[in-house]
Amino acid sequence: MSTTSETDPERTPAGPGGAASDAAAREREQDRDLSAAGSQLSTAPKEDLPNLPALGVLGWVRWFWRQLTSMRVALLLLLLLSLAAIPGSLIPQNGVDRTRVADFREQHEFLAPIYDKLGLFDVYSSVWFSAVYILLFISLIGCIAPRTWQFVGQLRGRPPGAPKRLTRLPAYTTWRTEADPGQVREAALALLRKRRFRAHLAGDAVAAEKGYLREVGNLAFHLALIVMLIAFAWGQLFKFEGNKLIVEGQGFSNAIPQYDDRKYGNLFSVDEDLEPFSFDLKEFKGTYERTGPNRGTPRTYEADLTYSEGAYGEEKKTTVKVNEPLRIGDAKVYLVSHGYAPVVTVRDGDGKVVFKDAVPLLPLDSNVTSSGVVKVLDGYRNAEGEREQLGFNAFFVPTFGGSESGTMLSQFPGLDYPVLALSAYHGDLKADSGIPQSVYQMDKTKMKEFKDSDGELFKKMLTPGETMTLPDGAGTVTFEKDVKEWAGFQMVQEPGGGWALGGAVVAIAGLAGSLFIQRRRVWVRAVEGPDGVTVVEMAGLGRSESATVPEELGELAGILYDRAPGAPEPEPSAGSSTPPEPSEPSGSPGSPDPSDPSDSPDPRAVPAEGAEKP
C-alpha cells in the first residue's frame, strides 16, 4: 500500500536540496491531511488574530463581539459575578433588613455615604451588579448560538475521510487477510454501526465517529446556565416573602397588614399576585432529647394547622414540619421558628382586668431562655384615678435551674419548670407618638419605675398561678398556669424556582457528560496489497490523549479480525526453512509461537500505539 504522494519529476529540483524541499512539501501535505481528519472534534470557535491596523469600525465591533462571546470572558464574568455578590452577604441590605442598615449608618458615619454612592446597601439591584449580570447573559447566548448551529451542521454531515497515512495517528493497528477488501469494509461498517458509531464508506475506507454526547453535554451545560440566570432574575423580580409570628389558637390571613415584616420584587403586584388563603395554628408540638450528649436537641417540630384556600374555601387540616411546608397555589408556608407565650393577667387597684393575653417572648439561646415586654396601653387607672400605661420587662425560662443555680437561664427547652421574672414601670409608653415601635422593646424615656421597700426597681419571679402585687395599691399581675407556644411562619412566593432547580440538574448532567464522554473517530481501510492479499488498517483519533481510544480500537480490531482472520506471510526466500506464519498486527510485542494456540496474532491484545504521532 502506498502511503506517500507521487511527485512529478519535472517539478523536482535536482540535487540534495531538491529532495529536502520535496520531503518538506510531503510533510506539510500529510500534516494538512491529519488536520482535516481531526477537524471539528469540537464546536469551540476558532480564534483568529485580527489585523489591528486594518480593522475599521465594523472590524472593531466584530472583534469586541468575539471577545465578549469567548469562553474565557464568560468565565471571567462568572467570577466577577461571584465576587460582586460578596458585599451583599457582608454588608446589611435594604431589601433584607432596613433596621440593620440604619444601625450601620449610625455606627459608621464615614463609610455609610461611600457605600450609598457605590450602591453597597442595594447590591443586587445596583447598576454595576446588573451590568455584570447582563453581560454574562449576553456572553453565554453569543457563545452558545454559533456553537449550536455548528454542531447541528456536524450532525447533518458525515465524518471526514481517512488520512493517507493512518500510521501517524495515535492509535493504529494492521494485519493481512485473505478476505475480499469490499467484504472487510462491509463487515467494518456493520460493526461500527452496531457499536453506535456514525459510519459511512469513504473511498477505500470506512470513516466513523462517536461521542457526540460530549458536545451535547457542553451545550446543555451552558443552556442550563442561561435558564438558571433567567429563573433567578424572574424570581427576584416577582418574589414575595413575609414573616408572621402566631400564638396557638390564633390565625392568619394572607394580606399585607397581617405580616410582621415583608419584602417583594419590583414587578410583584400585591393586588394581583398575592395568593389568597388563611390558616389557624391549633397546636405546636416540640420534643427534645432528654439524655446524652445531644440533650436539648430538637427531635420534632410540628405545627397542626387548619387552612382554607381563597375567601370561601373548604377548611382542611394539615401538619407543617421543618422543610415540609404547606403548599397553596404558588405560595409555600414554612415553619421557621418557635418560642413560648406566657399568659399574663393585669388588674388595676380595683381588681378590674385591664389586660389578659398570651405574650410571645423571643428566645435568646438554644434552651429557649426568652425575653420581651408586657405593655398595658388602655383601660388602666392608677390609685389616684389618672390614666396611665404600664410596662413590664419580662424574662422567661421554660426550665428553671433553681435559686441555688444563681442564674436566670433555662436548663432545658421543654416546659419542665417554667418561671417568669417581671420588673414593673408606669407612665407613658409613647405608643401614640406615631413612631413605629417594636412589641418586644419598651421606650422608657417617659416611664417611671415602681419601687420596692428598699427603693429599688420592683421585680419578682413568678411560677404558673402566682400573682405579683404592685406597690401602693397600683394593681396586680398574675402569671397564669396556661403557657402557650408560638410558631414563626415564613410565607414565600418565588416563581422560577422549579426552572432554577431543573437548570441546575441539567447543568450537572451536562458537565458530567462533557467531562467523561470522549468524542473520537475510527477509520478502517481495506485495500489489496501488491501480492494480492488484503491489507487491513485501523486507526483512531480522539480530541485529547486518552487510553480510551487505543483500548476501544483494540476491541474493535479483535472483533473484525475474527471476521477477517490473518493470512499467512509470503513464502520464504530460497534456502529458508522457516514455515509460513499468519500475519501479525503492527505494534505487536514479538512474534507468536505457532505451537501455542493462545499466542495467536489477535489485535484485541494490542491496542496499538502508532509509531508516529501528529
Side-chain angles (χ1 to χ4, degrees), residues 64-206:
F64 177 78
W65 174 253
R66 288 180 180 178
Q67 298 304 310
L68 179 61
T69 56
S70 65
M71 187 56 60
R72 63 174 177 270
V73 172
L75 293 174
L76 178 61
L77 290 172
L78 190 60
L79 175 62
L80 288 177
L81 191 68
S82 303
L83 295 176
I86 293 177
S89 59
L90 299 179
I91 300 174
Q93 300 294 295
N94 283 320
V96 178
D97 193 340
R98 291 184 178 273
T99 303
R100 289 188 59 195
V101 174
D103 292 341
F104 187 92
R105 293 180 188 277
E106 293 179 1
Q107 298 174 10
H108 303 84
E109 296 181 358
F110 175 76
L111 289 178
I114 299 176
Y115 284 4
D116 275 326
K117 292 180 180 180
L118 296 177
L120 295 181
F121 292 122
D122 298 278
V123 168
Y124 304 109
S125 59
S126 63
V127 175
W128 52 271
F129 187 88
S130 301
V132 176
Y133 193 92
I134 294 173
L135 283 175
L136 176 60
F137 189 77
I138 295 173
S139 177
L140 287 174
I141 293 179
C143 181
I144 290 174
R147 295 185 68 164
T148 302
W149 182 254
Q150 182 180 352
F151 183 61
V152 170
Q154 292 180 18
L155 290 178
R156 296 177 62 184
R158 290 185 171 186
K164 293 181 180 180
R165 291 185 60 187
L166 292 178
T167 55
R168 292 171 59 87
L169 296 181
Y172 173 81
T173 187
T174 182
W175 71 94
R176 291 157 47 85
T177 180
E178 294 180 347
D180 183 72
Q183 294 176 351
V184 176
R185 289 193 289 267
E186 290 296 332
L189 183 64
L191 171 62
L192 292 169
R193 286 177 175 174
K194 185 178 180 180
R195 292 300 184 95
R196 298 189 301 276
F197 279 83
R198 293 178 63 242
H200 71 105
L201 287 172
D204 58 0
V206 176

Side-chain angles (χ1 to χ4, degrees), residues 404-572:
E404 65 278 2
S405 66
T407 179
M408 188 66 176
L409 292 176
S410 178
Q411 306 300 307
F412 189 75
L415 284 173
D416 292 348
Y417 185 6
V419 172
L420 177 65
L422 298 174
S423 56
Y425 298 82
H426 64 99
D428 182 8
L429 291 170
K430 299 176 66 175
D432 301 326
S433 63
I435 302 175
Q437 289 186 353
S438 171
V439 296
Y440 307 106
Q441 296 178 344
M442 179 170 54
D443 188 344
K444 300 178 185 177
T445 54
K446 291 188 177 182
M447 299 293 287
K448 299 179 181 179
E449 299 178 350
F450 280 105
K451 302 292 185 178
D452 59 14
S453 57
D454 297 328
E456 301 293 334
L457 173 64
F458 185 80
K459 53 188 176 181
K460 189 173 183 180
M461 295 171 58
L462 305 174
T463 58
E466 291 186 341
T467 298
M468 177 177 72
T469 302
L470 299 174
D472 303 325
T476 61
V477 181
T478 302
F479 175 23
E480 303 292 345
K481 294 184 178 180
D482 182 19
V483 179
K484 295 187 177 182
E485 299 186 54
W486 60 261
F489 295 92
Q490 185 178 69
M491 278 59 74
V492 177
Q493 287 182 231
E494 189 173 7
W499 284 97
L501 177 61
V505 173
V506 173
I508 294 174
L511 183 61
S514 63
L515 291 176
F516 298 110
I517 297 176
Q518 184 177 17
R519 192 169 172 186
R520 62 272 192 198
R521 288 171 179 162
V522 172
W523 292 275
V524 182
R525 173 175 287 139
V527 295
E528 186 175 328
D531 56 354
V533 179
T534 301
V535 178
V536 182
E537 291 183 290
M538 293 186 67
L541 177 66
R543 183 180 175 186
S544 59
E545 292 290 339
S546 172
T548 303
V549 175
E551 290 175 1
E552 186 174 35
L553 184 69
E555 182 181 357
L556 293 172
I559 298 175
L560 187 59
Y561 183 83
D562 291 338
R563 301 179 185 180
E569 291 291 338
E571 289 295 332

Side-chain angles (χ1 to χ4, degrees), residues 241-294:
E241 185 178 296
N243 296 281
K244 179 64 178 178
L245 184 152
I246 304 176
V247 180
E248 289 176 326
Q250 297 181 0
F252 168 80
S253 178
N254 194 25
I256 292 297
Q258 291 274 310
Y259 284 95
D260 295 333
D261 61 82
R262 63 193 182 276
K263 58 180 180 180
Y264 44 85
N266 296 331
L267 299 182
F268 183 86
S269 173
V270 174
D271 298 330
E272 299 178 2
D273 298 332
L274 201 62
E275 197 75 31
F277 66 88
S278 60
F279 65 86
D280 296 328
L281 175 61
K282 296 300 182 182
E283 183 182 7
F284 179 88
K285 301 175 185 176
T287 60
Y288 310 89
E289 289 287 348
R290 287 282 176 181
T291 58
N294 295 324

